[in-house]
Amino acid sequence: MKRLPEILAFTALAATLGLAVALQGTAGDRSGEAGEPAAGTDGNSFAIRGARVFDGERDLGVATVVVRDGVVEAVAADAAVPDGLPVVDGAGKTLLPGLIDAHVHAWGDAQRDAARFGVTTAFDMHGMADRLPALREQRESLADTGQADLWASGYAITAPGGHGTQYGFPVPAVDADTDIDAFIGARVDEGADFIKLIVEDLSAYPGAPTLPTLAPAQVSAVIAAAHARDRIAVAHVSTQEDARHAVASGVDGLVHVFADEVADRDFIEAAAAADVFVTPTLAVVASFANAGHGDALAADPRVGSLLTAEQRATLGAVIPGVPANDRLDRAIASVRALHAAGVTILAGSDAPNPGTAHGASLHAELELLVGAGLSPAQALAAATSLPAARFGVEGRGHVAPGMRADLVLVDGDPLADITATRTIAQVWKNGYPVERDPAAGVVEAQAAPAQTLVGDFEDGTFGAAFGSWQPTTDQMAGGASTVEHRLVEGGAAGSAGALAVAGEIRAGFPFPWAGMIFFPAAEPMQPVDFSARTELVFQVRGDGRSYSAMLFSGPSMQSVPSTLAFQAGPEWAEVRLALADFPGADLSQLRGIAFTAGQPAGSFEFFLDRVELR
C-alpha cells in the first residue's frame, strides 16, 4: 500500500503541472467579466411570493421578499409588491440566503461552479496575493457576474518547504529569522482579508516523512500580529495537540477538525471558553477515509446532472491505496462533542480536493453536519449567517432588508430534510439569475491545427509552430529537482538546431521529475482536439537514461497523465509512440505533453528535435 506522502506526490504529479499554471490565471482574474449579463437575465429587481423563508438564523414562515437593484428591500408576510415588478412564485419552496463555503481553494471555474450550486460567497484559504485587489473589486460590485464572491487569505503562513509551498507558485515563508510582525504586515498590505496559518508536519499520518512547520512561538506571534492589524487568524491543524496550542495562543478558528483522535474534554472546554469556531471540512475528511461520499454525491440526480466534467472528475478522485478507515468517524465524534458544548461550527468543503467539487460539496457537508448532531436549521446557519458573522462579512448570510440579494430558492423543505438544498429551483447573485447549465462557459476543445510539426528549433528560438514550451520540475510540488533548457547547434539529420534539456533529479521527493512541457493551445492546459492524430514522433539523443513522455488530457486539468517511456541514447534516434498506446488518454481533449526525467536521482541531459503530432 502506498503511504500518504507518496499518494499526495502522485496526485501532485497528475495535477500540479496544469494547476500551477491555472493558479496564475486565478478565479479573481475573471472579475473582468463583471458587467457581462448572464444568459437569460431580466434585471435585478423582482419579488418572490409564497415561499417559506429561512433568513439565515430562523424560519420566518411564508413571506414575500422584494428585491430592488440587487438589494433586499422588504421581507414580510404582507409585503407589498410594487406595480410592474416581476414576481416569482415560491409556493412549495424555501428561500435561503446565498450559501457561504468557509473553506475553498479557488481557481479556474471555481467561482462560477460554486454559484451554480447556490454558493454565492466563499473563503479562499491559500493563493497568490496579486489577485486580491480584483477579488475585492468584484465583491464590492452589484454587477451581473454569475460567480461567487471570494474573501481570501492570500498566501497562507507556512514554514520554508512546508505544506502550502507545493502548488506551483512562490510562497513567502516564515523562518527562524523572520520578523513576524513585519511579515504579517506585508500580507495585510497585499490585501489579505484574514490570516491563515498552516501547522502541519504530517505526524497525523503514520509512515509519512516529517514536513517542516511553524514552531509554537511562531504560531503565537503570527496570531498576535494578525490581531494587531484587525484581522482574524485561522489555523490548519491535523492533530489535537497543535489545535490545543493554537487555541491557547488566541486563534479565532480552526479550518479543519483534527482526526488523529477524538477531541477530549480539556480541548472542548478550552475551545468553548475561547469562543473558537471550527470548520470541520468533513467532506474532505470523508475522502481521506475512503468513504465513497464523492461518488455518492455525483450519483444523486439532483446534483449529477449539473456537474461539469471537471467537477465530476474531482468528486470521483480517490487517494489510491488508502483503505477504508475510521478518520471520518473520529472527526464526526469530535464535531458532535464540540457542537454540544456550544462551539460554533461553520460549513466548508475544502474543494477541490479529491472527493470534492466546488459548490456541490457544500451540500454534502450540510448533510454530514446534520449527521454530526446539528439540526437542519443549525447546519443552514453554519453555511449562511455564522460564517458571515465570524469572518466579518457584511451584507451576506441573511435574507433581510438592506442585504445583498444573493438568494437560493429550493423545492421542498431543507429545515426538515437537509438534502432538499440540492433541489435548487433558482439562484440569484446580486439579484441577477445565475445560469446553472454546466455547459455554459465551459471551454470547448479547440480544433487541431493543420500542421503536424510542433517544433524543429531551426529559427533560433524556443517557439513552437503552435502552442508553447515551458520548463517543469517537481519544485512545483515541494521537490528540489532542477532543469535548464537551451538551444544548441546541430540537430537530428544535420538540422540547424535542437532543444537541450538538462538538470538534476534530486532525492527526497517520492515521484521526482524535471523536463519540458508542450502546451498545444494558446493558453496552458486548455484542450485541443487531436483525435484524428495517431502518433507522437520526435528525434532524441542523450545520456542513455530512460525518460517519460506524459500526455495530459481529458475533461479535467487534474486528470492523471498517461505515460510511456523512451530511451535517449548517445546518437540521434527517431521515437514513434502510438497515441493509442497511452493508457486512458483522451485525444479529443489533449492539454499538454511533457518530456521528463525521473528516478533515479542524479544529473540528466537529453536533446529534442523535430517533434510532431502526426
Side-chain angles (χ1 to χ4, degrees), residues 288-577:
F288 276 85
N290 198 9
H293 284 239
D295 285 337
L297 184 64
D300 187 330
R302 298 171 293 183
V303 174
S305 63
L306 292 165
L307 295 171
T308 64
E310 189 154 349
Q311 285 175 301
R312 190 173 294 278
T314 57
L315 277 174
V318 297
I319 303 173
V322 173
N325 57 73
D326 60 357
R327 293 186 69 86
L328 181 60
D329 294 337
R330 292 196 295 270
I332 286 176
S334 292
V335 173
R336 186 181 301 278
L338 289 162
H339 172 64
V343 173
T344 298
I345 305 296
L346 306 185
S349 67
D350 202 8
N353 271 288
T356 70
H358 284 292
S361 287
L362 192 66
H363 298 274
E365 187 73 13
L366 292 174
E367 184 179 16
L368 285 164
L369 291 178
V370 170
L374 279 70
S375 70
Q378 290 168 334
L380 290 172
T384 54
S385 61
L386 289 175
R390 297 308 294 258
F391 279 82
V393 172
E394 297 181 353
R396 324 278 173 128
H398 293 82
V399 182
M403 292 286 168
R404 185 176 294 246
D406 293 353
L407 302 167
V408 184
L409 187 65
V410 302
D411 288 313
D413 182 8
L415 295 169
D417 173 9
I418 193 64
T419 70
T421 62
R422 305 176 188 186
T423 314
I424 296 175
Q426 182 65 66
V427 179
W428 291 270
K429 180 75 189 75
N430 299 337
Y432 292 100
V434 171
E435 172 59 69
R436 302 193 66 229
D437 182 352
V442 172
V443 176
E444 297 294 334
Q446 302 172 17
Q451 65 264 49
T452 63
L453 179 67
V454 169
D456 57 12
F457 313 106
E458 298 291 276
D459 63 356
T461 74
F462 296 110
F466 56 92
S468 63
W469 291 92
Q470 292 187 27
T472 177
T473 79
D474 56 27
Q475 292 184 37
M476 293 178 175
S481 300
T482 63
V483 69
E484 294 181 353
H485 64 293
R486 67 189 192 281
L487 295 174
V488 296
E489 294 182 355
S495 69
L499 174 64
V501 185
E504 182 180 1
I505 298 298
R506 294 180 177 171
F509 189 76
F511 294 96
W513 80 87
M516 294 291 288
I517 185 168
F518 168 70
F519 296 115
E523 295 294 327
M525 292 302 280
Q526 294 303 301
V528 178
D529 184 356
F530 280 97
S531 56
R533 307 293 172 88
T534 61
E535 283 186 310
L536 171 64
V537 182
F538 53 95
Q539 310 293 320
V540 67
R541 71 175 179 88
D543 52 14
R545 288 179 60 128
S546 177
Y547 292 89
S548 295
M550 295 189 293
L551 263 61
F552 292 80
S553 66
S556 169
M557 289 187 293
Q558 298 186 20
S559 299
V560 174
S562 305
T563 303
L564 292 177
F566 64 90
Q567 298 295 127
E571 304 296 331
W572 283 107
E574 183 178 77
V575 176
R576 304 171 70 97
L577 300 177

Side-chain angles (χ1 to χ4, degrees), residues 144-203:
D144 180 9
T145 66
Q147 300 181 7
D149 293 332
L150 290 182
W151 271 254
S153 68
Y155 300 117
I157 312 304
T158 190
H163 183 55
T165 63
Q166 71 268 45
Y167 297 115
F169 58 96
V171 177
V174 172
D175 61 25
D177 299 322
T178 299
D179 180 337
I180 289 178
D181 187 67
F183 186 90
I184 298 303
R187 306 288 79 79
V188 172
D189 290 344
E190 289 165 348
D193 296 304
F194 52 90
I195 299 298
K196 180 193 176 185
L197 304 88
I198 295 181
V199 187
E200 174 64 85
D201 61 3
L202 292 184
S203 62

